[in-house]
Amino acid sequence: MAWSMYEAVLTKAASIGGSSGEAMSTSILYNLARLYEDKEDLVMAKEAYDKLLTHRPEYIDARIRQAHMLANLNQVDNAHEILKHTLTAHTSNLNLRAYYTSSLIQNNQLKVTKDFVYATLKDYEHSDVYLLCAATLIMYNQSCKSRDPNSKALEECKCSFQCVVETYQKALQFDPLCAVAAQGLVIATAEDALGALSSVTVASIVEETQLRIKNTPDALDVFTKIQESLNDGCVYINIGHCYYARDEFDHAIESVSAGSKLQSQPADTVIPV
């Protein structure tokens, strides 16, 4: 039904002509291409995007969708080239920069992602919540992997975790309803990022585990509050990890199962507690 209505409007727009008809055709053709994507008719989607971009090469969202389609077909290099070329012409577009950031993370290019995100925050928009969360995600993962025992490395690691917490707090100042930042802050708390993770002074792995378990009640309390306003699989999965850390396996299985049903992406892309 949607397809037939879009086709009817395109025909009508062609008869109108002028700038109004062109604007209408551009918008409808983009939506028609998205419809083909949803129907998994990628051939027709590509044709629609190509036709649109022939007339409106500056239509950034269409370029992003082209790259997204190619990435889903495992044509990562071609997708990357489209994004790089579009960035050259539209370097300050935040939606484009956000998608490019996501693409780099998906391809595990964390060093490049970090540099790109910080450049965006510095040169274009320091208060972009998505980019703040992306920067913090990378910083947190890198800090978690650092286990260098020398004093200088320990101090750098502690400063890095402190920066993680402060950046998540900053994101929440700009958007108090940002569930990603809220969960990131709770994860940092549950993992004792400013204690056990930021130092190797704990006596043993057992002691480090006990420190983390001590924080799970507070983490569970906040995750439950987030769950009340965000019915998303990642929240349930993080709750499941908390229960698992407390050896409450029945509750853990129940939460992770509920999260898996809601989760539209693979569960291993969620940052676990």
Side-chain angles (χ1 to χ4, degrees):
M1 186 183 296
W3 176 82
S4 63
M5 293 174 72
Y6 281 141
E7 288 286 350
V9 176
L10 274 177
T11 303
K12 180 68 174 177
S15 67
I16 294 174
S19 58
S20 296
E22 183 181 354
M24 189 185 298
S25 295
T26 299
S27 178
I28 296 301
L29 190 55
Y30 175 78
N31 284 303
L32 186 60
R34 292 289 290 112
L35 182 67
Y36 285 131
E37 276 193 80
D38 288 342
K39 291 177 63 178
E40 298 184 352
D41 190 342
L42 301 186
V43 174
M44 291 299 293
K46 182 180 183 303
E47 288 183 7
Y49 285 130
D50 288 344
K51 183 178 179 180
L52 170 58
L53 290 167
T54 298
H55 298 287
R56 296 291 297 273
E58 77 283 3
Y59 203 113
I60 296 174
D61 286 349
R63 295 286 184 193
I64 291 174
R65 295 309 307 182
Q66 271 190 328
H68 187 71
M69 284 172 55
L70 290 172
N72 286 341
L73 294 170
N74 291 322
Q75 298 180 30
V76 178
D77 291 340
N78 291 338
H80 187 71
E81 282 302 312
I82 288 176
L83 293 173
K84 282 183 62 178
H85 178 76
T86 309
L87 271 169
T88 302
H90 306 280
T91 186
S92 62
N93 185 280
L94 289 179
N95 283 341
L96 177 59
R97 297 185 75 88
Y99 184 81
Y100 188 61
T101 299
S102 175
S103 175
L104 290 172
I105 291 174
Q106 291 296 324
N107 290 295
N108 205 33
Q109 299 184 45
L110 298 186
K111 175 63 171 65
V112 179
T113 308
K114 184 178 180 180
D115 293 343
F116 184 76
V117 168
Y118 276 94
T120 305
L121 290 169
K122 177 177 178 291
D123 298 332
Y124 299 104
E125 181 53 78
H126 71 281
S127 61
D128 187 281
V129 173
Y130 174 85
L131 292 167
L132 286 170
C133 289
T136 311
L137 165 65
I138 296 164
M139 201 186 319
Y140 187 87
N141 284 339
Q142 289 180 336
S143 300
C144 284
K145 293 176 182 177
S146 175
R147 282 292 189 243
D148 193 329
N150 73 69
S151 58
K152 182 180 178 181
L154 287 176
E155 186 60 33
E156 289 177 353
C157 187
K158 188 161 188 173
C159 289
S160 181
F161 277 117
Q162 182 68 46
C163 188
V164 165
V165 172
E166 290 173 355
T167 307
Y168 274 136
Q169 289 175 331
K170 185 177 181 180
L172 285 168
Q173 288 174 1
F174 290 123
D175 181 5
L177 300 179
C178 179
V180 174
Q183 289 193 94
L185 202 54
V186 180
I187 289 169
T189 301
E191 291 278 7
D192 193 22
L194 297 181
L197 285 183
S198 63
S199 166
V200 292
T201 56
V202 291
S204 66
I205 294 176
V206 172
E207 184 178 344
E208 181 175 328
T209 302
Q210 289 173 342
L211 285 170
R212 294 181 178 183
I213 292 175
K214 183 183 69 174
N215 294 322
T216 54
D218 289 337
L220 273 169
D221 183 52
V222 180
F223 277 135
T224 301
K225 287 183 172 65
I226 295 172
Q227 181 188 25
E228 292 172 359
S229 58
L230 180 68
N231 189 36
D232 190 272
C234 64
V235 186
Y236 288 88
I237 290 171
N238 282 322
I239 290 174
H241 282 291
C242 286
Y243 281 129
Y244 182 83
R246 292 159 58 90
D247 290 342
E248 296 181 30
F249 301 123
D250 288 342
H251 285 141
I253 291 170
E254 182 181 344
S255 295
V256 173
S257 296
S260 297
K261 291 177 182 178
L262 289 171
Q263 192 68 282
S264 60
Q265 58 181 349
D268 62 4
T269 62
V270 178
I271 315 167
V273 174

